[in-house]
Amino acid sequence: MKFAVIVFPGSNCDRDMYHAVKEVAGAEAELVWYTDTDRLEDVDGILLPGGFSYGDYLRSGSMASTSNVMHKIREHASKGKPVLGVCNGFQILTESGLLPGALMRNKHLSFMCHQEELVVEDNQTFFTSLYEKKEVVRYPIAHGEGNYFCDDATLKELKANNQIVFTYKYNPNGSIENIAGIRNKQGNVLGMMPHPERAVEELLGSEDGLKLFKSMIANWRDSYAVNA
Amino acid sequence: MKKVTVYITLKPGVLDPQGKAIQESLQSLGYQEVDDARVGKYIELQVEEGPNIEERITEMCDRLLANPVIENYQFDLEEVK
């Protein structure tokens, strides 16, 4: 499986993401500057890393969501191919409408950077199949604007379609229903505030994030083998 | 040329921790009468005259300037010489 890690001006978790999928999870990966859209033609999975794309001008993720590379990413997603957005990547996915809702300022205003316990609410997804249902995992969070918000109708829909993939065990930022990560209806786009790519080696304090990348790789292999 | 002034505010009911902090600070300065504070954005645009100017500005607000999930907006248009 070949991944592209999209690098925007202001991305800062791009190398962590690249390291996690390539050197730890063992997939193919390349860093792709956001204007090099041609390089996305033969890519299987797209990873939108964390950081502060365009300095978070206007709203986090809003500037990146209008860039040309998003047309390619929309096209990629509409073919059912996987897209993972972490932190700023999640903000870009909500701003571009690929995922519902919005990420707002943390409830207590402060930037938070520490390990959080998360609950895997759904292990029947492309991204989480190697976890147990309701498994508690530890990933770091590092955000000032991770307070997930959506209106009641959207929340109902998220629940009805099992789109809530991760919740916080102890809500750090005021997110509605403790939501830490959601997927789109089709199941091929996942956005989450916590950082699985920073939890892939025991040396980093947790390796609980590795199963997320390994799930993607295993599920890709399975679907490829079935279709081949 | 037109000057466009866009006001973006959080929808009612959407938590505004920044506004809350401002309200508390005003109260700690002795302004007990401040019951609530909400923070929004103010954006000025200079726009060339053209057909459908209002529609196009509405579109700009919906597509970029405001996030319709959490924000409302309104705008004023005035002539500049």
Side-chain angles (χ1 to χ4, degrees):
Chain A
M1 182 174 189
K2 186 172 170 187
F3 288 100
V5 179
I6 310 294
V7 186
F8 290 102
S11 296
N12 67 6
C13 302
D14 43 334
R15 280 162 200 276
D16 305 51
M17 191 71 100
Y18 177 82
H19 172 76
V21 285
K22 185 159 190 192
E23 277 140 35
V24 188
E28 274 185 79
E30 53 182 317
L31 290 161
V32 175
W33 183 242
Y34 75 113
T35 53
D36 295 342
T37 51
D38 294 347
R39 289 174 64 195
L40 298 179
E41 296 298 344
D42 63 336
V43 154
D44 305 314
I46 289 181
L47 304 170
L48 293 168
F52 300 86
S53 55
Y54 299 86
D56 275 354
Y57 291 167
L58 192 64
R59 293 178 307 274
S60 330
S62 66
M63 296 288 138
S65 76
T66 66
S67 61
N68 279 336
V69 71
M70 287 315 294
H71 299 301
K72 280 276 176 193
I73 294 173
R74 249 193 216 103
E75 212 178 281
H76 174 97
S78 70
K79 290 180 196 152
K81 293 184 184 179
V83 178
L84 168 68
V86 170
C87 199
N88 195 223
F90 185 14
Q91 293 162 339
I92 294 168
L93 289 173
T94 57
E95 280 285 342
S96 62
L98 280 163
L99 290 174
L103 281 312
M104 308 203 314
R105 186 74 69 93
N106 290 346
K107 193 175 170 190
H108 299 294
L109 286 173
S110 54
F111 187 94
M112 297 173 145
C113 187
H114 57 253
Q115 295 258 0
E116 272 294 331
E117 287 191 326
L118 308 176
V119 181
V120 181
E121 295 293 340
D122 187 2
N123 68 342
Q124 305 292 306
T125 80
F126 186 85
F127 305 89
T128 54
S129 55
L130 294 177
Y131 294 100
E132 302 294 322
K133 191 171 170 67
K134 295 283 177 189
E135 185 172 335
V136 175
V137 295
R138 281 168 57 239
Y139 291 2
I141 60 164
H143 59 246
E145 297 185 351
N147 179 354
Y148 182 79
F149 177 85
C150 63
D151 60 25
D152 292 342
T154 308
L155 185 62
K156 248 187 208 162
E157 208 172 303
L158 288 177
K159 285 182 179 171
N161 300 318
N162 287 323
Q163 286 174 255
I164 302 170
V165 181
F166 291 101
T167 55
Y168 299 106
K169 206 167 167 195
Y170 310 103
N171 194 337
N173 54 23
S175 289
I176 200 163
E177 302 259 335
N178 299 350
I179 287 174
I182 56 167
R183 64 168 176 82
N184 64 346
K185 231 185 230 173
Q186 295 74 17
N188 63 314
V189 178
L190 173 71
M192 57 194 305
M193 287 313 295
H195 289 271
E197 82 283 7
R198 293 193 198 172
V200 292
E201 288 157 302
E202 208 42 69
L203 188 65
L204 298 172
S206 167
E207 52 184 8
D208 292 351
L210 187 54
K211 277 195 273 187
L212 187 141
F213 298 108
K214 290 205 160 160
S215 296
M216 293 175 80
I217 296 163
N219 287 317
W220 180 261
R221 198 176 292 140
D222 287 353
S223 62
Y224 181 76
V226 168
N227 294 332
Chain B
M1 199 64 100
K2 295 259 192 208
K3 178 180 161 190
V4 185
T5 315
V6 186
Y7 302 89
I8 297 158
T9 49
L10 281 176
K11 284 185 176 171
V14 172
L15 179 76
D16 181 5
Q18 207 179 170
K20 187 90 188 126
I22 289 170
Q23 180 217 356
E24 284 168 10
S25 294
L26 284 170
Q27 286 195 339
S28 75
L29 286 172
Y31 301 105
Q32 301 303 327
E33 67 270 36
V34 181
D35 269 343
D36 195 16
R38 309 276 289 168
V39 177
K41 293 191 185 94
Y42 168 95
I43 300 174
E44 285 179 358
L45 308 171
Q46 301 276 347
V47 180
E48 281 171 32
E49 300 276 359
N52 311 324
I53 185 165
E54 299 211 7
E55 264 172 53
R56 291 180 66 82
I57 295 162
T58 303
E59 219 179 88
M60 292 178 208
C61 291
D62 286 331
R63 293 182 64 192
L64 181 66
L65 301 180
N67 179 344
V69 178
I70 48 172
E71 293 168 329
N72 289 330
Y73 62 84
Q74 59 186 79
F75 60 84
D76 295 331
L77 273 173
E78 61 183 286
E79 205 67 48
V80 278
K81 283 171 197 144

